[in-house]
């Protein structure tokens, strides 16, 4: 089994002022998935401009201090849920056009968090869909939170990746992002920045260039911490640039060290 | 708590050759819901032309006799799921426009059937959404079936109604349909057909006109059997014409005998 993450910045125009699909990227990526050979596949996608705009405007996950604020947040929850569901429908539709039998899985229908971490999620149905040869397509969503102070939370694609990996034990996790992988310096500022091919611990990041801060743009630092946790269970993950032609296809076909491998 | 069913024939153009929304009806019904006073509400909607076309073409729920047939049915499952999800997104969006904080609930993410009857469905999240004052919007969908011969099934809005009613014990179930209620004869053929105001058992249907067949157009007979089952638990349900202005609003406000009451 492979779990493939499609970053919100890859399939949507993340900085758009309204939810906007990156149709060209999505079409190409779905074709690459259909052309690759996997036994079982789960696709996890981020929300990009379909989620962040609403979640930010309504501050889903922030403390609720009044009834008015609760009502406003419920409206925000409702709008966010519908918007990310729209994106998911389009991802499924594009995969279907390539002949892939998708099954959409809606986190808010079966997942609950506590302090923004998943505490309830029955994965039996996902396992059964996989056994039948479906490709489950799950996504960043809003969910109920057991903490009475916040009541609602965002569950990100990255958190889903970690939860699914720990519970379903895939052979590989592929993270399709909009960068080539992890650098020892920020490649935007430093022409000498080098791509780190393999990360085995946080130390591997620091040892390459101990005098400079490790690139943590786009929350890469947090991502790697979660991936290192997964690696402890023997599950490899690789961060690749999904904007580069055929990278996803190569990764799904088992090619390694396309980007940064975390093992 | 009230459970309101919106029939697929009310919110979609059921006989259209492709999925078609009845925007006018849906807009009016959502306004009526927003204008009525309910404490807790669950909306269940049918699939209409968004589901039946695909489910019929791919015969979801029929026996699978070959690998080729399984692959074809999986494609059909995938397309049906996406299509009914589209309809659900539009229902939620129309309710949101009236200021209602909806939460979409996707049956295929948490429900499983055996021989086409629900055997697995954790309703805890729905209860918690209701406690927060959300309006859960659940719908007819395709799901996994434990019977190895069929593997997949359609779970109809009517079956959801029964399952939710038995487990959540609402005060009332309102069925918004495209007829005024149950008649003792088919009103299309018989100008003398009379609307039955109250049904307490199957006998009430027959006694009115024992020489003629009771109107069972549109599966009304099966519907009533399920509603009589619910009535045994002390839950009243009423079949009303949702195409008539203000009927939904009146029913949600507690008015009785608008159509046919099953108690």
């Amino acid at each position: 089994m492979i779990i493939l993450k499609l970053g919100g910045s890859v399939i949507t125009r993340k900085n758009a002022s309204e939810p906007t699909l990156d149709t060209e990227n999505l079409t190409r990526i779905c074709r690459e998935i259909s052309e690759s050979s996997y036994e079982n596949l789960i696709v996890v996608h981020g929300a990009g401009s379909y989620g962040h705009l609403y979640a930010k405007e309504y501050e889903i996950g922030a403390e609720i201090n009044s009834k008015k604020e609760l009502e406003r947040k419920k409206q925000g929850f409702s709008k966010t849920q519908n918007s990310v569901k729209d994106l998911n429908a389009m991802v499924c539709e594009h995969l279907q056009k390539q002949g892939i039998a998708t099954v959409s899985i809606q986190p808010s229908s079966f997942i609950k968090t506590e302090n923004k971490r998943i505490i309830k999620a029955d994965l039996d149905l996902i396992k059964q869909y996989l056994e039948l040869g479906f490709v489950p397509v799950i996504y960043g969503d809003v969910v109920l939170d057991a903490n009475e102070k916040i009541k609602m939370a965002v569950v990100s694609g990255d958190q889903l990746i970690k939860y699914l990996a720990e519970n379903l034990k895939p052979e590989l996790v592929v993270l399709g992002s909009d960068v080539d992988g992890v650098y020892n310096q920020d490649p935007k500022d430093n022409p000498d920045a080098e791509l780190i091919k393999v990360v085995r611990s946080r130390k591997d990041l620091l040892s390459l260039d101990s005098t400079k801060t490790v690139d943590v743009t786009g929350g890469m630092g947090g991502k790697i911490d979660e991936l290192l946790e997964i690696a402890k269970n023997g599950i490899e993950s690789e961060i690749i640039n999904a904007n580069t032609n055929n990278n996803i296809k190569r990764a799904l076909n088992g090619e390694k060290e396309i980007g940064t491998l975390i093992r």
Side-chain angles (χ1 to χ4, degrees), chain A:
Chain A
M1 185 203 304
I2 298 178
I3 297 179
L4 169 66
K5 162 89 190 286
L6 300 177
S9 56
V10 174
I11 57 170
T12 78
R13 305 212 183 267
K14 204 165 180 175
N15 298 319
S17 60
E18 56 179 43
T20 312
L21 195 68
D22 190 329
T23 311
E24 200 181 316
N25 252 0
L26 182 59
T27 305
R28 176 184 52 76
I29 287 168
C30 292
R31 197 182 52 240
E32 286 188 30
I33 293 172
S34 76
E35 287 170 358
S36 62
S37 57
Y38 50 81
E39 202 158 324
N40 277 126
L41 178 69
I42 299 180
V43 173
V44 180
H45 65 80
S49 50
Y50 285 77
H52 299 258
L53 290 167
Y54 291 113
K56 205 176 162 187
E57 181 185 346
Y58 291 95
E59 296 175 286
I60 305 294
E63 237 177 74
I64 299 166
N65 292 310
S66 68
K67 206 168 152 30
K68 197 179 152 192
E69 218 171 302
L70 173 62
E71 290 313 309
R72 189 174 171 272
K73 266 201 186 25
K74 275 160 56 185
Q75 298 290 341
F77 183 100
S78 193
K79 282 179 190 168
T80 313
Q81 194 208 29
N82 226 36
S83 180
V84 293
K85 191 172 59 170
D86 264 0
L87 174 60
N88 176 255
M90 284 183 284
V91 173
C92 288
E93 204 184 305
H94 277 78
L95 285 165
Q96 283 166 22
K97 275 185 193 157
Q98 302 294 333
I100 296 167
T102 58
V103 58
S104 157
I105 303 289
Q106 183 179 45
S108 39
S109 287
F110 75 110
I111 290 179
K112 190 171 176 176
T113 55
E114 183 167 352
N115 296 320
K116 305 179 189 180
R117 302 301 297 178
I118 298 170
I119 52 163
K120 176 196 170 94
D122 182 348
L123 303 181
D124 279 357
L125 281 183
I126 293 183
K127 285 182 202 164
Q128 290 165 28
Y129 282 121
L130 283 168
E131 275 166 27
L132 264 186
F134 279 105
V135 173
V137 184
I138 190 167
Y139 55 101
D141 196 5
V142 281
V143 297
L144 283 182
D145 194 283
N147 181 340
E148 276 301 312
K149 286 181 183 157
I150 62 172
K151 291 186 169 65
M152 301 159 228
V154 170
V155 61
S156 69
D158 286 329
Q159 195 186 151
L160 288 170
I161 288 284
K162 190 177 175 224
Y163 190 87
L164 293 172
E166 282 175 351
N167 288 282
L168 301 178
K169 314 263 183 245
E171 287 91 53
L172 178 67
V173 173
V174 176
L175 286 105
S177 74
D178 58 352
V179 291
D180 288 336
V182 188
Y183 284 85
N184 60 338
Q185 302 173 45
D186 190 333
K188 282 163 197 157
D189 301 334
N190 301 286
D192 297 337
E194 279 173 40
L195 186 73
I196 305 174
K197 295 301 266 182
V198 181
V199 174
R200 285 187 180 79
S201 76
R202 263 276 182 178
K203 275 186 286 183
D204 288 337
L205 302 176
L206 297 164
S207 62
L208 284 177
D209 184 350
S210 58
T211 60
K212 300 244 169 74
T213 317
V214 168
D215 169 36
V216 288
T217 51
M220 197 58 99
K223 261 194 190 38
I224 289 169
D225 284 339
E226 300 227 3
L227 297 175
L228 283 168
E229 281 293 314
I230 297 174
K232 280 184 193 160
N233 295 318
I235 300 160
E236 289 186 351
S237 51
E238 180 147 23
I239 300 171
I240 61 167
N241 195 337
N243 288 331
T244 305
N245 270 344
N246 290 322
N247 266 0
I248 287 202
K249 187 175 166 179
R250 287 164 64 200
L252 292 183
N253 283 340
E255 205 177 314
K256 295 283 163 71
E257 298 190 30
I258 299 164
T260 297
L261 192 66
I262 293 102
R263 59 171 22 145

